[in-house]
C-alpha cells in the first residue's frame, strides 16, 4: 500500500472527484480530504491510499502537475507524520525569574504558590 499526498487542490474538490481522478491508475483503498476544524471547509490537500505501489507510481506520474479545478495538482508520496518541533501546546510562556538574574529561580518570585496572606504582618509606619 502506498499513501499519496495531493496538494494545491481547489477547495471545492470532493472525495468522489478524487476517486474519479485516481481510479484509472488502479485500486483506491482510502481517500481523506483534510478539513479545517473551525470552518469545516477543505484545506486544499488530501491523502489518497492506493493498494499497489506500481499503480501509485503511475498515478504520481500521470497526475502531478495536472490542472484540476483551475489549479495544478501536486501529487507525490506522502511522508510519514513526524513529531512536531518547537513549543508544545499549552506550555511555554513566562515562568518568572524572581529578579535574581537567573531564569526560573527557586526562591520566592511573584508567581509563588505561597499565599502572602498566611505570613505574619508587620505593623506599618504612617506615611505622613
Amino acid at each position: 500500500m502506498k499513501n499519496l499526498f495531493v496538494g494545491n487542490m481547489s477547495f471545492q474538490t470532493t472525495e468522489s472527484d478524487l476517486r474519479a481522478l485516481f481510479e484509472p491508475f488502479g485500486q483506491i483503498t482510502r481517500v481523506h480530504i483534510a478539513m479545517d476544524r473551525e470552518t469545516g471547509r477543505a484545506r486544499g490537500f488530501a491523502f489518497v491510499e492506493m493498494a499497489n505501489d506500481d499503480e501509485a507510481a503511475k498515478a504520481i506520474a500521470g497526475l502531478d502537475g495536472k490542472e484540476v479545478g483551475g489549479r495544478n495538482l501536486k501529487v507525490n508520496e506522502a511522508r510519514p507524520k513526524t513529531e512536531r518541533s518547537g513549543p508544545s501546546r499549552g506550555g511555554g510562556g513566562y515562568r518568572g525569574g524572581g529578579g535574581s538574574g537567573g531564569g526560573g529561580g527557586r526562591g520566592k518570585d511573584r508567581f509563588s504558590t505561597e499565599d502572602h496572606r498566611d505570613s505574619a504582618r508587620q505593623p506599618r509606619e504612617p506615611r505622613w
Side-chain angles (χ1 to χ4, degrees), residues 3-7 48 60 64 74-79:
N3 198 16
L4 303 179
F5 170 81
V6 184
V48 176
I60 291 170
D64 188 35
K74 181 68 184 157
V75 181
N76 53 35
E77 187 176 339
R79 292 189 295 262

Side-chain angles (χ1 to χ4, degrees), residues 11-23:
F11 296 115
Q12 286 74 38
T13 304
T14 65
E15 184 177 326
S16 59
D17 294 338
L18 285 174
R19 284 190 180 277
L21 204 59
F22 279 83
E23 277 177 346

Side-chain angles (χ1 to χ4, degrees), residues 18-74:
L18 285 174
R19 284 190 180 277
L21 204 59
F22 279 83
E23 277 177 346
F25 297 98
Q27 181 185 355
I28 299 167
T29 54
R30 188 173 81 94
V31 174
H32 173 75
I33 297 178
M35 303 297 270
D36 187 287
R37 287 184 197 152
E38 293 177 15
T39 64
R41 286 186 39 200
R43 293 182 59 199
F45 67 93
F47 295 95
V48 176
E49 196 172 272
M50 299 191 76
N52 184 318
D53 289 359
D54 292 333
E55 293 170 350
K58 289 177 186 170
I60 291 170
L63 296 175
D64 188 35
K66 179 179 172 109
E67 187 185 327
V68 176
R71 304 186 71 143
N72 294 334
L73 292 182
K74 181 68 184 157

Side-chain angles (χ1 to χ4, degrees), residues 81-105:
K81 189 173 185 179
T82 58
E83 197 63 34
R84 290 186 190 193
S85 62
S88 62
R89 294 179 182 234
Y94 182 75
R95 297 188 191 266
S100 62

